Coordinates of all heavy atoms in Angstrom, one line a residue:
L5 N 1.4 -2.2 -14.8 CA 1.8 -1.6 -13.4 C 2.8 -2.5 -12.7 O 2.7 -3.7 -12.8 CB 0.5 -1.5 -12.6 CG 0.4 -0.6 -11.4 CD1 0.6 0.9 -11.9 CD2 -0.8 -0.7 -10.7
I6 N 3.7 -1.9 -12.0 CA 4.5 -2.5 -11.0 C 4.1 -1.8 -9.7 O 4.1 -0.5 -9.6 CB 6.0 -2.3 -11.3 CG1 6.3 -3.0 -12.6 CG2 6.8 -2.9 -10.1 CD1 7.8 -2.8 -13.0
D7 N 3.8 -2.6 -8.7 CA 3.3 -2.0 -7.4 C 4.0 -2.7 -6.2 O 4.1 -3.9 -6.1 CB 1.8 -2.2 -7.3 CG 1.2 -1.9 -5.9 OD1 1.7 -0.9 -5.3 OD2 0.4 -2.7 -5.4
V8 N 4.6 -1.8 -5.4 CA 5.2 -2.3 -4.1 C 4.4 -1.6 -3.0 O 4.3 -0.4 -2.9 CB 6.7 -2.0 -4.0 CG1 7.3 -2.5 -2.7 CG2 7.4 -2.7 -5.2
H9 N 3.9 -2.4 -2.0 CA 2.9 -1.9 -1.1 C 3.2 -2.4 0.3 O 2.6 -3.4 0.8 CB 1.5 -2.4 -1.6 CG 0.4 -1.9 -0.8 ND1 -0.9 -2.3 -1.1 CD2 0.3 -1.1 0.3 CE1 -1.7 -1.7 -0.2 NE2 -1.0 -1.0 0.7
P10 N 4.1 -1.8 1.1 CA 4.2 -2.1 2.5 C 3.1 -1.5 3.3 O 2.5 -0.4 3.0 CB 5.6 -1.5 2.9 CG 5.7 -0.3 1.9 CD 5.0 -0.7 0.6
S11 N 2.7 -2.2 4.4 CA 1.6 -1.7 5.3 C 1.9 -2.1 6.7 O 2.6 -3.0 7.0 CB 0.3 -2.2 4.8 OG 0.3 -3.6 4.9
I12 N 1.2 -1.4 7.6 CA 1.2 -1.7 9.0 C -0.2 -1.3 9.6 O -0.8 -0.3 9.2 CB 2.3 -1.0 9.8 CG1 2.4 -1.6 11.2 CG2 2.2 0.5 9.8 CD1 3.6 -1.1 12.0
S13 N -0.7 -2.1 10.5 CA -2.0 -1.8 11.2 C -1.8 -2.1 12.7 O -1.0 -2.9 13.1 CB -3.1 -2.6 10.6 OG -2.9 -4.0 10.9
F14 N -2.6 -1.3 13.5 CA -2.6 -1.4 14.9 C -4.0 -1.6 15.4 O -4.9 -0.9 15.0 CB -1.9 -0.2 15.5 CG -0.5 0.1 15.1 CD1 -0.3 1.0 14.0 CD2 0.5 -0.4 15.7 CE1 1.0 1.3 13.6 CE2 1.8 -0.1 15.3 CZ 2.1 0.7 14.3
E15 N -4.1 -2.5 16.4 CA -5.4 -2.6 17.1 C -5.3 -1.8 18.4 O -4.9 -2.2 19.4 CB -5.6 -4.1 17.4 CG -7.0 -4.4 18.0 CD -7.2 -5.9 18.2 OE1 -7.1 -6.7 17.3 OE2 -7.5 -6.3 19.4
L16 N -5.8 -0.5 18.2 CA -5.7 0.4 19.3 C -6.6 0.0 20.5 O -6.3 0.3 21.6 CB -6.0 1.8 18.8 CG -5.2 2.3 17.7 CD1 -5.6 3.8 17.3 CD2 -3.7 2.3 18.0
S17 N -7.7 -0.6 20.2 CA -8.6 -1.2 21.2 C -9.4 -2.3 20.5 O -9.2 -2.6 19.3 CB -9.5 -0.1 21.8 OG -10.5 0.3 20.8
E18 N -10.3 -2.9 21.3 CA -11.0 -4.0 20.7 C -11.9 -3.6 19.5 O -12.2 -4.3 18.6 CB -11.9 -4.6 21.8 CG -12.7 -5.8 21.3 CD -13.6 -6.4 22.4 OE1 -13.5 -5.9 23.6 OE2 -14.4 -7.3 22.1
K19 N -12.2 -2.3 19.5 CA -13.1 -1.8 18.4 C -12.5 -0.7 17.5 O -13.2 -0.2 16.6 CB -14.4 -1.2 19.1 CG -15.2 -2.2 19.9 CD -16.3 -1.6 20.6 CE -17.1 -2.6 21.5 NZ -18.2 -2.0 22.2
L20 N -11.3 -0.4 17.8 CA -10.6 0.7 17.0 C -9.3 0.2 16.4 O -8.5 -0.3 17.1 CB -10.3 1.9 17.9 CG -9.8 3.2 17.3 CD1 -10.8 3.8 16.3 CD2 -9.4 4.2 18.4
R21 N -9.2 0.4 15.1 CA -8.0 0.0 14.3 C -7.5 1.1 13.5 O -8.2 1.9 12.9 CB -8.4 -1.2 13.4 CG -7.1 -1.9 12.8 CD -7.5 -3.1 12.0 NE -7.8 -2.8 10.6 CZ -9.0 -2.9 10.1 NH1 -10.0 -3.4 10.8 NH2 -9.2 -2.6 8.8
L22 N -6.1 1.1 13.4 CA -5.4 2.1 12.5 C -4.7 1.4 11.5 O -3.8 0.5 11.8 CB -4.5 3.0 13.4 CG -3.6 4.0 12.6 CD1 -4.4 5.0 11.9 CD2 -2.6 4.6 13.5
D23 N -4.9 1.7 10.2 CA -4.2 1.2 9.1 C -3.4 2.2 8.4 O -3.8 3.3 8.1 CB -5.2 0.6 8.0 CG -6.0 -0.6 8.6 OD1 -5.5 -1.2 9.5 OD2 -7.1 -0.9 8.0
I24 N -2.1 1.9 8.1 CA -1.2 2.8 7.3 C -0.5 2.0 6.2 O 0.0 0.9 6.5 CB -0.1 3.4 8.3 CG1 -0.8 4.2 9.4 CG2 0.8 4.4 7.5 CD1 0.2 4.7 10.5
D25 N -0.6 2.5 5.0 CA 0.1 1.8 3.9 C 0.7 2.8 2.9 O 0.2 4.0 2.8 CB -0.8 0.8 3.2 CG -2.1 1.5 2.7 OD1 -2.0 2.1 1.6 OD2 -3.1 1.3 3.3
N26 N 1.7 2.4 2.2 CA 2.3 3.2 1.2 C 2.5 2.4 -0.1 O 3.1 1.4 -0.1 CB 3.7 3.6 1.7 CG 4.4 4.5 0.7 OD1 3.8 5.4 0.1 ND2 5.7 4.4 0.6
D27 N 1.8 2.9 -1.1 CA 1.9 2.3 -2.5 C 2.9 3.0 -3.3 O 2.8 4.2 -3.4 CB 0.5 2.3 -3.1 CG -0.3 1.0 -2.9 OD1 0.3 -0.1 -3.0 OD2 -1.4 1.1 -2.5
I28 N 3.8 2.3 -4.0 CA 4.7 2.9 -4.9 C 4.4 2.3 -6.3 O 4.4 1.1 -6.4 CB 6.2 2.6 -4.5 CG1 6.4 2.9 -3.0 CG2 7.2 3.3 -5.4 CD1 7.7 2.4 -2.4
F29 N 4.2 3.2 -7.3 CA 3.7 2.7 -8.6 C 4.7 3.1 -9.7 O 5.2 4.2 -9.7 CB 2.4 3.4 -8.9 CG 1.3 3.1 -7.9 CD1 0.8 4.0 -7.1 CD2 0.7 1.8 -7.9 CE1 -0.2 3.8 -6.2 CE2 -0.4 1.5 -7.0 CZ -0.8 2.5 -6.2
W30 N 4.9 2.2 -10.6 CA 5.6 2.4 -11.8 C 4.8 1.8 -13.0 O 4.0 0.8 -12.8 CB 7.0 1.7 -11.9 CG 8.0 2.2 -10.9 CD1 8.9 3.2 -11.0 CD2 8.1 1.7 -9.5 NE1 9.7 3.3 -9.9 CE2 9.2 2.4 -8.9 CE3 7.5 0.7 -8.8 CZ2 9.6 2.1 -7.7 CZ3 7.9 0.5 -7.5 CH2 9.0 1.2 -6.9
R31 N 4.9 2.4 -14.2 CA 4.4 1.7 -15.4 C 5.3 0.5 -15.6 O 6.5 0.6 -15.6 CB 4.4 2.6 -16.6 CG 3.3 3.7 -16.5 CD 3.2 4.4 -17.9 NE 4.5 5.0 -18.3 CZ 4.8 5.4 -19.5 NH1 4.0 5.1 -20.5 NH2 5.9 6.0 -19.7
Y32 N 4.7 -0.7 -16.0 CA 5.4 -1.9 -16.3 C 6.3 -1.6 -17.6 O 7.4 -2.0 -17.6 CB 4.5 -3.1 -16.5 CG 5.2 -4.3 -16.9 CD1 5.9 -5.1 -16.0 CD2 5.2 -4.7 -18.3 CE1 6.6 -6.2 -16.4 CE2 5.8 -5.9 -18.7 CZ 6.5 -6.6 -17.7 OH 7.2 -7.8 -18.1
T33 N 5.7 -1.0 -18.6 CA 6.4 -0.7 -19.8 C 6.1 0.8 -20.2 O 4.9 1.2 -20.1 CB 6.1 -1.6 -20.9 OG1 6.7 -1.1 -22.2 CG2 4.6 -1.8 -21.2
H34 N 7.0 1.5 -20.7 CA 6.8 2.9 -21.1 C 6.0 3.0 -22.4 O 5.7 4.1 -22.8 CB 8.1 3.7 -21.2 CG 9.0 3.2 -22.3 ND1 10.0 2.3 -22.1 CD2 9.1 3.5 -23.6 CE1 10.7 2.1 -23.3 NE2 10.1 2.8 -24.2
N35 N 5.8 1.9 -23.1 CA 5.1 1.9 -24.4 C 3.6 1.8 -24.2 O 2.8 1.7 -25.2 CB 5.6 0.9 -25.3 CG 6.9 1.2 -25.9 OD1 7.2 2.4 -26.2 ND2 7.8 0.3 -26.0
D36 N 3.1 1.7 -22.9 CA 1.7 1.6 -22.7 C 1.3 2.7 -21.7 O 2.2 3.3 -21.0 CB 1.3 0.2 -22.1 CG -0.1 -0.2 -22.3 OD1 -0.9 0.7 -22.6 OD2 -0.5 -1.4 -22.1

């Protein structure tokens, strides 16, 4: 696997959090 994973999170309040992330996947080699 090759994985590139940017993310961002927000503390909307002391008890509430929002997480957003985007994973982009490739096979490391096409022979597996």
Side-chain angles (χ1 to χ4, degrees):
L5 202 66
I6 299 175
D7 168 43
V8 178
H9 182 182
S11 64
I12 186 170
S13 64
F14 301 94
E15 190 177 301
L16 303 181
S17 71
E18 184 181 352
K19 301 176 180 179
L20 185 64
R21 190 177 85 246
L22 174 64
D23 295 338
I24 302 173
D25 58 79
N26 182 38
D27 267 313
I28 309 169
F29 301 107
W30 297 266
R31 287 190 298 160
Y32 176 79
T33 171
H34 66 265
N35 286 321
D36 204 345

